[in-house]
Amino acid sequence: MDAFRIVGGHPLRGSVRISGSKNAALPILFSSLLGGSFTLGRVPCLRDVKTTLLLLEQLGIKNSGCHPAKASEEREDRWSESIALHEGDTSAFEAPYDLVRTMRASVLCLGPLLARRRRARVSLPGGCLIGARPIDMHLKAFERMGARITIHHGYIDAETDGLEGCEISLPYPTVTGTENILMAAVLAKGTTTIVNAAEEPEVTDLARFLVARGAKISGEGSSTIRIEGVDRLDSTDYTVMFDRIEAGTFLVGAALLGQGVRIEGVEHAPIASILDLLSAMGAEHESTPSSITLEAIRRPRGTSLRTLPYPGFPTDMQAQILPLMAIAEGPSSVVETVFENRFTHVMEMNRMGANIEIHGSQATVRGGSRLEGAAVMASDLRASAGLVLAGLIAEGETEVRRVYHIDRGYEAIEKKLEALGARIKRVQEDQP
Ligand code: EPU
């Protein structure tokens, strides 16, 4: 298994280009199951994207630009950022356990399969380390739209004689739930209204992409989205939005160690809550319409934070902000409201010298700590990124193990950090 070996304390300088968003690319790729063809640009070379292409291939979607079976072994320098997809054979409708268990987002095939092929068989994703993560809201919405759903032997079996639009009021603004309903609704008969829809920029990116293909959608980016069903979608050429969580991760890196780090290929609005938090901790930044330059904060100040659905502070950035809070002057507190078990990185950070206590959904960070390098283990994607940032600021050597988590969602993070001046290399675990 791969690990990252990091020698901490080296300043970061220069510029880094942010990749296309994982969480925007995945639903857009899954929407290929709605039929027709399109070309998608700025597709990040990530394990989750490769898993998606493999699943789509099993479901009869052809692609040029990347052969998914080979992509799992291919190096990223042979990756094509632009992928053309088109519908081939439409007889398959099953997402098997072996793929769903490696990537929960596979559940995003449910909506488009039901809408286009009227049948879907998808392995029920189990809980994962960060929470139980049920998909009851997705399933209830499909039932309201006219699907018959049963669950047997760990599989969701869904079929319909044709989906029909209706009003769906979500108890919580679920991100992939909103995306799944959106995809189902574009080919459903009549009008669907999603009330209490997720407002995340990735949902808006999917809606804009579908509009570019001729879907009739309004209200995207707000809490009420209206979709008028159409018979078919046109082809288009679309570019995925930037990855706001990757951008946020590099912004924290700059706040820890930057000597003028320019984050390129970003827009301000989707990362406003992250920039606001960094400002509250003492960061100053300069921005152009597509870049942000940030220096290390000389004396970071502790602050309090609550993770929330967009436009609030993203849960996907909570682990990465903790190393900055650990070294800040004064205490900080973090309340995690989105997932019930998203503090697994805290024990590892405490082993590096942080002083963080967890009480239920709240972490209290004492502040004023000096982090020291240690061997630590990543337990999920964003937790790994938090540990890498902790390693960059720690004194001495840190080994972050099980970085296969980080490869799911960060494109060549060690190469990007190395280009900025970090001492980080990918090694085999336990390699001398
Ligand atoms: N929830 C339910 N029932 C449902 C759906 C959600 O109870 O039917 C609960 C969840 O258990 C959770 C909360 O609602 O407590 C929010 O879950 P949501 O459905 O919004 O999350 P998701 O769609 O499964 C996406 C991202 C996550 C990100 C969250 C929150 C993708 C592929 N995944 O997950 O990204 O943390 O939204 O913003 O878009 C990551 O990239 O590392 C990641 C975990």
Side-chain angles (χ1 to χ4, degrees):
M1 261 189 275
D2 287 358
F4 286 152
R5 199 164 289 161
I6 303 165
V7 179
H10 292 275
L12 303 179
R13 296 190 191 94
S15 62
V16 58
R17 178 152 288 277
I18 299 305
S19 301
S21 159
K22 166 179 87 78
N23 288 348
L26 298 183
I28 294 177
L29 290 170
F30 276 111
S31 78
S32 59
L33 293 165
L34 292 169
S37 62
F38 61 86
T39 302
L40 195 60
R42 208 187 194 186
V43 182
C45 176
L46 302 170
R47 211 153 62 85
D48 276 8
V49 169
K50 293 170 188 173
T51 306
T52 301
L53 292 172
L54 196 58
L55 175 53
L56 287 173
E57 193 177 68
Q58 292 183 10
L59 290 167
I61 302 297
K62 307 226 178 281
N63 80 74
S64 57
C66 163
H67 190 283
K70 285 193 204 130
S72 52
E73 299 116 44
E74 258 174 22
R75 290 156 47 105
E76 53 269 18
D77 50 10
R78 289 175 59 197
W79 179 261
S80 159
E81 273 201 356
S82 181
I83 297 183
L85 294 113
H86 68 272
E87 186 185 56
D89 178 14
T90 57
S91 58
F93 53 84
E94 178 169 327
Y97 174 68
D98 278 347
L99 285 176
V100 178
R101 81 185 163 82
T102 62
M103 192 189 68
R104 298 179 51 83
S106 310
V107 76
L108 284 166
C109 69
L110 197 47
L113 276 178
L114 264 177
R116 174 79 175 159
R117 303 187 190 177
R118 299 190 169 190
R119 186 141 190 222
R121 185 160 196 270
V122 178
S123 170
L124 195 61
C128 78
L129 204 76
I130 64 177
R133 305 185 73 180
I135 55 158
D136 53 311
M137 293 183 224
H138 304 226
L139 301 184
K140 278 191 192 118
F142 294 138
E143 277 177 337
R144 275 189 55 73
M145 294 176 81
R148 295 177 293 280
I149 295 180
T150 51
I151 297 177
H152 290 298
H153 304 292
Y155 273 82
I156 304 157
D157 272 302
E159 53 186 341
T160 178
D161 301 325
L163 295 179
E164 294 197 8
C166 62
E167 180 172 308
I168 294 162
S169 191
L170 293 171
Y172 185 92
T174 158
V175 175
T176 48
T178 303
E179 291 164 347
N180 233 341
I181 300 164
L182 189 57
M183 288 189 278
V186 292
L187 292 187
K189 211 167 128 201
T191 303
T192 303
T193 307
I194 313 175
V195 179
N196 200 24
E199 298 175 33
E200 267 66 8
E202 294 77 13
V203 178
T204 307
D205 208 39
L206 170 67
R208 286 189 184 146
F209 161 79
L210 291 169
V211 167
R213 293 197 67 194
K216 293 188 176 158
I217 302 172
S218 60
E220 68 276 17
S222 79
S223 62
T224 305
I225 305 179
R226 274 172 66 89
I227 308 112
E228 217 182 294
V230 295
D231 291 336
R232 53 187 292 279
L233 295 172
D234 307 325
S235 63
T236 194
D237 211 328
Y238 191 83
T239 302
V240 180
M241 70 171 286
F242 76 98
D243 196 307
R244 65 192 169 104
I245 305 302
E246 188 198 15
T249 304
F250 279 97
L251 283 170
V252 177
L256 288 166
L257 290 153
Q259 291 185 353
V261 173
R262 198 166 66 250
I263 317 281
E264 288 180 345
V266 298
E267 284 165 57
H268 214 270
I271 49 176
S273 66
I274 303 169
L275 287 168
D276 287 349
L277 189 93
L278 291 173
S279 299
M281 297 186 79
E284 286 176 17
H285 68 268
E286 281 172 24
S287 52
T288 71
S290 64
S291 75
I292 293 167
T293 305
L294 202 128
E295 298 281 336
I297 311 174
R298 267 172 208 267
R299 298 175 68 179
R301 295 185 291 270
T303 188
S304 57
L305 155 69
R306 176 177 282 266
T307 65
L308 285 169
Y310 190 83
F313 189 89
T315 173
D316 289 347
M317 275 300 299
Q318 177 254 103
Q320 299 90 314
I321 207 80
L322 284 177
L324 188 58
M325 289 179 161
I327 63 162
E329 282 179 13
S332 296
S333 76
V334 175
V335 180
E336 170 60 58
T337 77
V338 181
F339 291 110
E340 62 272 24
N341 189 31
R342 214 174 192 181
F343 283 128
T344 52
H345 40 278
V346 163
M347 293 318 289
E348 297 298 274
M349 287 183 191
N350 282 349
R351 292 184 51 247
M352 296 177 74
N355 188 337
I356 309 173
E357 279 180 23
I358 308 289
H359 294 287
S361 60
Q362 178 161 343
T364 306
V365 189
R366 171 79 67 87
S369 302
R370 275 172 64 89
L371 301 187
E372 292 176 356
V376 289
M377 202 150 73
S379 50
D380 81 62
L381 165 55
R382 308 302 171 187
S384 337
L387 292 173
V388 167
L389 291 172
L392 292 180
I393 192 74
E395 194 190 307
E397 191 173 284
T398 295
E399 186 165 305
V400 181
R401 298 190 176 168
R402 301 203 176 167
V403 295
Y404 60 85
H405 291 293
I406 216 167
D407 293 333
R408 285 188 40 222
Y410 286 86
E411 196 173 44
I413 189 170
E414 78 279 22
K415 289 187 188 150
K416 289 187 177 185
L417 284 169
E418 201 180 12
L420 290 175
R423 298 277 170 86
I424 176 169
K425 62 178 178 184
R426 187 179 285 264
V427 296
Q428 287 290 303
E429 270 181 25
D430 300 325
Q431 185 181 291

